[in-house]
Amino acid sequence: GEDISNLELISLATGTKCLSGDERLQSVKGTLLNDCHAEVLVRRGFLHWFLNQAKLAAAYKPSFLQIQQNGKVKLREGLKFHLFSSHPPCGDASIFNLSQQEECGENIGECLHASTENED
């Protein structure tokens, strides 16, 4: 198996799926982020990290990236990125099985939205 002793967390986020409707309604205005999907937030965090790594590499400081002779940025050998999500994404990015598609037909988006609301 792979050596997992040297893992580093790059970006972590939680979205509004973890907040119930009651929590959102009862919160003091401005204390909760609303309409922020975890996959969007974690991507923003990853891009922030990646751009910072590119700046470090350009300044010849330790980085997960290296500048090639042609000026392009390259990931150091042997590095991998993994994405973990505890829930499938919402909307058009949702993964659904064939039985749901057959059941919902052309209204798959509305059908899946209704089924995820019933999960809470």
Side-chain angles (χ1 to χ4, degrees), residues 41-85:
L41 296 174
V42 80
R43 179 182 178 272
R44 287 180 185 167
F46 173 78
L47 289 174
H48 176 79
W49 173 86
F50 189 86
L51 292 172
N52 189 49
Q53 290 296 307
K55 287 179 186 177
L56 290 171
Y60 301 102
K61 295 182 179 176
S63 171
F64 287 96
L65 305 173
Q66 57 191 30
I67 305 291
Q68 297 178 308
Q69 288 182 345
N70 62 6
K72 292 184 178 181
V73 177
K74 179 183 175 185
L75 188 62
R76 292 201 181 273
E77 290 292 321
L79 295 179
K80 296 179 184 179
F81 294 106
H82 298 273
L83 170 68
F84 170 78
S85 178

Side-chain angles (χ1 to χ4, degrees), residues 8 54 57 62 102 112 114:
E8 183 171 327
E102 291 168 2
L112 289 174

